[in-house]
Amino acid sequence: MRPLLCCLGLAAFLGPCLACPSACSCSTKKNGRLLAECAYKDLQEVPEGLSSNVTILTLSANRISWLGQGSFAEVPEVQSLWLGYNQIGVVEPGAFALLVHLKNLDLSHNKIADFPWQDLRNLSGLQILKMNNNRLAGLPWDAFRSLKDLRSLWLNDNELTTLAEGTFDNLPSLSQLQIFNNPFNCSCKVFWLKKWTENTSVSITKGGSTLCVAPSRLKGRAVTDIPDHHCIAPSVQLTYLSNLDNTVMYDGLTLTLHCSVAGSPPPEIRWKIQTSSRRVEINGPNVARDGNVKQSQEHFLVFKNGTMAIPHFSKEDEGIYTCLAVNDVGTRDVSVNVALAGSENPAEDLLQDDPQASHLGGRSCYKGDEMDPSGAGEKLVIVYHMPRESKSRAGGVVPQVHLGTLLLALGITLCC
């Protein structure tokens, strides 16, 4: 009787461990891992009844078209999940999020166009990720940022036209990458990939097949062969002007800054202004050729040639003025911290306050690929002459001041 009870107790203990759907065959490997083999079974969904101890689940070559949030709730210990050669087109957010022990995930040869990339944030132990032969047209730049153990990444044979800079950053274990047979548009947005491949130790399988489809002048060339002269990072130069050729009259003091940029493709000019009371961003000119202001920031007049004019400049406008040059290769910026001071004799007062100061009709600071922003944080001090008989804006009349009469002075040469 006692041996029979022991056998029944052992069966009760092992029973749940060996639970297996009828369409699958389950076995214990020599290393103690439990394998559920469910490939080539014509399954249309993930089968129910799997043991919670399954560590290897093979569902390849079925007709599964959908993965729901709870599709793998029964197998939280799974380490290897093979789902290749199905018809998966829909993957709900959360489908993989709880599989924190996952090391190998194969989703190749499916129809996935949209994927819940946030699910990968919990899979820090993932080592192999196969998503090749799907319909992926884009990836977020931080799709893989949590995968510190990822060794092999397969993205070939998708519909990727570009990749965001930084896509493969923060992958210290990556040793193999496959991105061939994607229809890359070799604009300067993927120029970073060429530079990355030149400096990485990662093996990029069939790199010669990573070809450009567009633009037409580069069609058929390898992404790694994009000519350097087509893509040049921006440089930016900021000049503090005391006069303008196209003379404009304003009442009171007018601060005038000019931003010159270079690069290929030609960079866009953007401005950021940070004062004690507000933050303003201006993405492009807001003054038309006829002089009309197109946007609501009438106080900051931005012209197409890169000039910014701030009429009626006052203490409230003190702050940091930043010019940004932006193109497909990158972004460069240069800033000045502007302060205001009034004086009857501006030159003498400035020199008294700062022996290094000098009179400037225009002064520049520059930032390019090799420049270091060592001057950041220095102040551009604007010293202007206000006649005794003039009154403040709060008191009433302020005489017209020609832009050419504006005196700008730098206490130190700014290069940033």
Side-chain angles (χ1 to χ4, degrees), residues 57-377:
L57 177 57
T58 302
L59 288 163
S60 305
N62 282 291
R63 293 194 296 136
I64 300 170
S65 61
W66 169 85
L67 296 176
Q69 186 174 1
S71 291
F72 304 105
E74 292 184 337
V75 287
E77 303 295 324
V78 69
Q79 297 179 18
S80 297
L81 181 56
W82 310 110
L83 289 158
Y85 292 93
N86 275 280
Q87 300 174 20
I88 301 169
V90 177
V91 182
E92 288 187 353
F96 301 103
L98 300 180
L99 304 182
V100 296
H101 303 286
L102 204 57
K103 294 182 178 180
N104 306 302
L105 176 58
D106 180 8
L107 287 163
S108 63
H109 296 273
N110 279 287
K111 301 177 180 180
I112 301 171
D114 296 311
F115 185 79
W117 300 104
Q118 64 273 18
D119 278 17
L120 300 184
R121 295 173 186 171
N122 294 333
L123 310 186
S124 57
L126 198 64
Q127 298 177 6
I128 297 175
L129 177 59
K130 294 185 177 183
M131 300 195 73
N132 53 292
N133 294 86
N134 275 285
R135 299 176 182 178
L136 298 173
L139 305 170
W141 70 271
D142 58 349
F144 312 115
R145 66 177 178 177
S146 300
L147 307 182
K148 304 300 183 183
D149 292 337
L150 190 67
R151 300 197 312 259
S152 182
L153 177 59
W154 299 38
L155 295 169
N156 54 284
D157 293 278
N158 274 284
E159 298 177 7
L160 299 172
T161 59
T162 189
L163 289 169
E165 185 170 0
T167 298
F168 307 122
D169 289 352
N170 301 315
L171 296 176
S173 303
L174 190 65
S175 60
Q176 182 188 32
L177 174 66
Q178 299 197 17
I179 55 173
F180 59 88
N181 290 345
N182 278 289
F184 283 111
N185 180 345
C186 292
S187 70
C188 292
K189 290 182 178 180
V190 297
F191 186 68
W192 71 271
L193 185 59
K194 171 186 175 176
K195 295 298 183 182
W196 183 81
T197 57
E198 291 173 350
N199 296 297
T200 186
S201 60
V202 176
S203 173
I204 303 176
T205 309
K206 295 185 179 180
S209 298
T210 308
L211 304 179
C212 305
V213 172
S216 57
R217 70 178 184 277
L218 297 176
K219 186 175 183 178
R221 295 184 69 166
V223 172
T224 54
D225 196 28
I226 300 174
D228 287 0
H229 67 272
H230 281 291
C231 303
I232 302 173
S235 61
V236 56
Q237 182 176 4
L238 189 57
T239 307
Y240 322 109
L241 302 177
S242 64
N243 54 64
L244 289 174
D245 293 335
N246 55 331
T247 311
V248 182
M249 298 291 289
Y250 293 108
D251 290 339
L253 174 69
T254 296
L255 171 65
T256 307
L257 306 175
H258 182 73
C259 189
S260 300
V261 299
S264 180
E268 298 177 2
I269 296 176
R270 302 174 186 174
W271 291 90
K272 290 185 178 180
I273 304 157
Q274 177 67 64
T275 69
S276 60
S277 60
R278 59 177 165 172
R279 177 176 295 177
V280 178
E281 295 188 9
I282 304 175
N283 297 323
N286 60 11
V287 179
R289 287 188 176 183
D290 58 6
N292 291 325
V293 180
K294 295 185 290 185
Q295 298 177 5
S296 60
Q297 298 294 344
E298 296 91 350
H299 189 60
F300 304 101
L301 305 179
V302 177
F303 299 85
K304 188 175 181 180
N305 68 352
T307 296
M308 174 189 285
I310 304 100
H312 306 297
F313 193 87
S314 68
K315 296 290 286 186
E316 294 179 355
D317 299 317
E318 289 184 333
I320 299 174
Y321 288 73
T322 302
C323 174
L324 300 94
V326 181
N327 70 5
D328 289 343
V329 187
T331 301
R332 297 289 184 273
D333 64 80
V334 61
S335 301
V336 288
N337 191 346
V338 183
L340 184 64
S343 173
E344 286 291 336
N345 194 336
E348 290 183 5
D349 285 1
L350 179 63
L351 292 172
Q352 184 177 2
D353 293 338
D354 189 342
Q356 301 182 38
S358 60
H359 298 221
L360 296 174
R363 208 67 178 276
S364 303
C365 99
Y366 172 83
K367 186 171 184 181
D369 292 331
E370 300 179 357
M371 300 299 290
D372 178 66
S374 57

Side-chain angles (χ1 to χ4, degrees), residues 1-14:
M1 187 68 178
R2 181 170 294 178
L4 179 60
L5 291 175
C6 291
C7 291
L8 291 174
L10 183 62
F13 176 77
L14 293 177

